[in-house]
Structures are given as structure tokens and as C-alpha cells.
């Protein structure tokens, strides 16, 4: 009796794989192989998911994805958001629903190629941005369209110039940007408030949303910004950097913000207990 031959189990042919399974796999993996290799360098599942959503939605190349990760986009967005909004970032990506959603701080402008020195002027910065406008629009975020540089308007026989004028098609509003090469002052904020008021009253149409003002600066005092601007102001003062920050720097800043919020909550709790004479809770 001849010995029986061993049974060989062959892998299933692609033709035998259920079409529904193939469709599910294709729907799940929406990017190229190199994109997913890049994601392997990210430890946090939430951060990894955020970049996958954004790369798919914005059709980022691998080079653009690597730059976004190197510039710590996720951490920079997290700095200006609470815990629930950070969770939404990892589930939905960046959703533009209100003016504050447009803001990243710091804005990373390393692609301008300007040296890290105190001698360049605001005009140097503005010219470099115009030269690298496509990169600047990508760094600003979703929905931005460029309209003008040094936009002049006249009021009461005086001429005023807005450094950069953009339009955001998602929020349907004008976005004015003023560039400051050093420390932010209350005069800078007052000037931007005047620019915003002018555009709201004389430029925007009735069906457009209120104008947003952004004063880009190297240094600022957050307390000064809060004291100068009303609570409902659509004016923001994010910082910019001419170099890529380390993730450690941004994590330290995030922890500092969380600590500040924690102290504020404890202070409000004490004020509430004092005002109501209620027993203290844990």
C-alpha cells in the first residue's frame, strides 16, 4: 500500500475572497502604503487617527503629512481646546464650526526660510509669506482663499492698510491678518478691532458672518489680550515661530494650560461655596 501524500493547504486565492470583505478593506485603508508606514512613528492612537482623517480629507502627500507631524499640528490644536474638543479631534479631525476652530498657536512658518534673528522687518515677513503663499495657506488650515496684500481703505480722509486679507469659504467670512515682528501691544489689538469693525460695517454683505481678526506676533501677554478684548471678540493673537518646535516644548505648554485651567476651576469653586455658604464637596 503506497504511503499517503501529505495534504497541502494553500492560501485562498484573491478571487475566492468575498467581494464585501474587499470593499470593507478598501474603505478602511484610504491612503497609500507609505502614509501608513509614516503613522507607525506615532505612539498615541488618538493622534494617529487624527492625522489619518486629515490626510484623507485634505489629500496630503507623504511629504506634507511628515511636515504636519514634525510641526506637531495635533498638539498645537490641542493647546487651545478642552478635553472634549481634543477627543473630537481624534474622532472627526478638524471641524471648522466657529472662528476659534481656525486658530493654531503657535503658527509654524519654517518654510519661509527666514533666519532666526531679530533684525528682519514686518515687510520681510510679509514678503516671504507672499512668496510662499501656497505653504502659508496650508499652515493656516481649511477653507482659506487669498484676497489682498496691504489692502487699503480710507476713513475720514485717513488711509489704513491691512497686511493680509483672506476669505474663509467654510465660515463665509473675511479673515484679516496683521503681522507683528515682536511683542504684542494693546495698541495692536485696538488697531485690529478697528479693521474688523470697518469690514463688518462697510465691506461684508448681510449673508456673510462677522469678520475675524488675527494678529500674528512673536511674543504676547495672555492677560493683556484678555483685558483688552471683550469676551465675544472675534480677534485672536496666536504666536508664530520660524522653526519647528519639539514635541516636548508643546507638551510642556499643554500641561501648563491644563494646570492654569485647574487652578481657575478651584478658585471658582471656592467663590461659589463662599457665596452660597454650601458645604464643601470633594
Amino acid at each position: 500500500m503506497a504511503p499517503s501524500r501529505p495534504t497541502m493547504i494553500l492560501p485562498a486565492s484573491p478571487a475566492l475572497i468575498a467581494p464585501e470583505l474587499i470593499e470593507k478593506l478598501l474603505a478602511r485603508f484610504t491612503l497609500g502604503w507609505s502614509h501608513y508606514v509614516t503613522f507607525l512613528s506615532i505612539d498615541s492612537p488618538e493622534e494617529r487617527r487624527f492625522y489619518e482623517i486629515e490626510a484623507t480629507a485634505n489629500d496630503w502627500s507623504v511629504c506634507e503629512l511628515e511636515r504636519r507631524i514634525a510641526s506637531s499640528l495635533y498638539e498645537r490644536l490641542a493647546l487651545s481646546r478642552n478635553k472634549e474638543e481634543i477627543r473630537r479631534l481624534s474622532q472627526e479631525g478638524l471641524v471648522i464650526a466657529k472662528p476659534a476652530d481656525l486658530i493654531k498657536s503657535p503658527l509654524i512658518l519654517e518654510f519661509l526660510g527666514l533666519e532666526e534673528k531679530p533684525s528682519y522687518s514686518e515687510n520681510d515677513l510679509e514678503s516671504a509669506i507672499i512668496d510662499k503663499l501656497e505653504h502659508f495657506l496650508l499652515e493656516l488650515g481649511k477653507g482659506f482663499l487669498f484676497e489682498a496684500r496691504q489692502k487699503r481703505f480710507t476713513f475720514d480722509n485717513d488711509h489704513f492698510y491691512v497686511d493680509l486679507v483672506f476669505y474663509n469659504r467654510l465660515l463665509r467670512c473675511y479673515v484679516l491678518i496683521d503681522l507683528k515682528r515682536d511683542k504684542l501691544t494693546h495698541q495692536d489689538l485696538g488697531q485690529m478691532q478697528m479693521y474688523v469693525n470697518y469690514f463688518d460695517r462697510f465691506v461684508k454683505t448681510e449673508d456673510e458672518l462677522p469678520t475675524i481678526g488675527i494678529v500674528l506676533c512673536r511674543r504676547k501677554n495672555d492677560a493683556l489680550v484678555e483685558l483688552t478684548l471683550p469676551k465675544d471678540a472675534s480677534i485672536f493673537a496666536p504666536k508664530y515661530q520660524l522653526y519647528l518646535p519639539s514635541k516636548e516644548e508643546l507638551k510642556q505648554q499643554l500641561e501648563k494650560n491644563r494646570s492654569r485651567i485647574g487652578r481657575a476651576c478651584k478658585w471658582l469653586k471656592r467663590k461659589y461655596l463662599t457665596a452660597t455658604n454650601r458645604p464643601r464637596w470633594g
Side-chain angles (χ1 to χ4, degrees):
M1 183 175 180
S4 60
R5 301 178 65 180
T7 303
M8 183 177 294
I9 300 177
L10 298 174
S13 167
L16 300 179
I17 299 176
E20 311 88 68
L21 180 58
I22 294 176
E23 288 182 12
K24 285 182 180 180
L25 288 172
L26 289 175
R28 176 64 185 85
F29 296 100
T30 55
L31 298 165
W33 172 255
S34 297
H35 288 80
Y36 289 103
V37 171
T38 303
F39 293 144
L40 294 177
S41 65
I42 303 173
D43 294 329
S44 164
E46 293 81 11
E47 183 179 351
R48 197 161 51 237
R49 179 59 181 152
F50 165 78
Y51 284 116
E52 183 180 3
I53 294 172
E54 288 298 301
T56 301
N58 297 292
D59 197 25
W60 287 346
S61 66
V62 175
C63 288
E64 180 61 24
L65 171 63
E66 289 177 344
R67 182 197 170 268
R68 296 291 179 149
I69 295 172
S71 69
S72 301
L73 174 62
Y74 180 76
E75 286 91 342
R76 287 187 287 136
L77 289 171
L79 283 175
S80 57
R81 285 161 171 77
N82 59 35
K83 187 179 294 185
E84 175 60 24
E85 290 171 328
I86 293 174
R87 186 185 63 80
R88 285 186 60 201
L89 278 177
S90 64
Q91 294 180 344
E92 305 172 24
L94 179 58
V95 178
I96 306 297
K98 58 185 184 297
D101 293 334
L102 295 174
I103 306 303
K104 298 190 283 285
S105 185
L107 218 61
I108 306 301
L109 307 181
E110 95 292 347
F111 54 82
L112 297 182
L114 289 173
E115 296 180 19
E116 184 70 9
K117 59 181 182 179
S119 59
Y120 67 84
S121 66
E122 290 165 9
N123 185 64
D124 293 333
L125 180 60
E126 183 182 313
S127 297
I129 287 174
I130 295 299
D131 290 342
K132 302 278 188 175
L133 187 58
E134 182 180 354
H135 295 81
F136 187 66
L137 287 171
L138 286 172
E139 176 62 17
L140 282 179
K142 298 178 179 178
F144 279 94
L145 305 172
F146 176 66
E147 179 169 309
R149 172 190 186 184
Q150 289 296 311
K151 177 78 171 181
R152 190 183 86 166
F153 66 89
T154 303
F155 184 77
D156 198 21
N157 293 322
D158 287 325
H159 299 308
F160 302 92
Y161 298 86
V162 185
D163 288 344
L164 299 168
V165 178
F166 294 87
Y167 190 85
N168 190 279
R169 61 182 180 80
L170 300 180
L171 291 180
R172 292 174 47 251
C173 68
Y174 284 99
V175 180
L176 314 181
I177 296 183
D178 224 16
L179 306 171
K180 302 300 171 187
R181 69 183 182 89
D182 198 20
K183 189 175 182 180
L184 182 74
T185 68
H186 68 278
Q187 291 94 334
D188 298 328
L189 296 170
Q191 176 178 268
M192 178 54 76
Q193 183 69 70
M194 187 267 287
Y195 291 169
V196 165
N197 291 344
Y198 180 88
F199 267 71
D200 280 345
R201 296 172 190 177
F202 301 108
V203 179
K204 87 174 188 68
T205 60
E206 290 184 3
D207 63 330
E208 291 175 325
L209 295 179
T211 304
I212 297 171
I214 298 176
V215 185
L216 275 181
C217 56
R218 290 288 295 278
R219 297 185 295 145
K220 68 171 181 175
N221 183 325
D222 289 328
L224 174 69
V225 176
E226 293 176 8
L227 184 63
T228 304
L229 297 175
K231 290 184 178 180
D232 58 348
S234 58
I235 294 177
F236 304 89
K239 294 190 288 187
Y240 67 86
Q241 290 182 196
L242 298 176
Y243 59 92
L244 293 176
S246 68
K247 287 186 177 289
E248 192 58 38
E249 289 175 336
L250 287 166
K251 286 177 181 176
Q252 288 175 3
Q253 184 62 43
L254 185 57
E255 288 302 318
K256 189 183 299 182
N257 286 2
R258 286 174 176 167
S259 176
R260 188 182 301 143
I261 293 171
R263 289 196 300 272
C265 288
K266 289 180 181 178
W267 180 82
L268 287 172
K269 186 194 294 185
R270 287 197 299 270
K271 294 284 286 185
Y272 174 78
L273 290 171
T274 303
T276 59
N277 291 317
R278 296 191 176 189
R280 190 175 294 273
W281 66 81

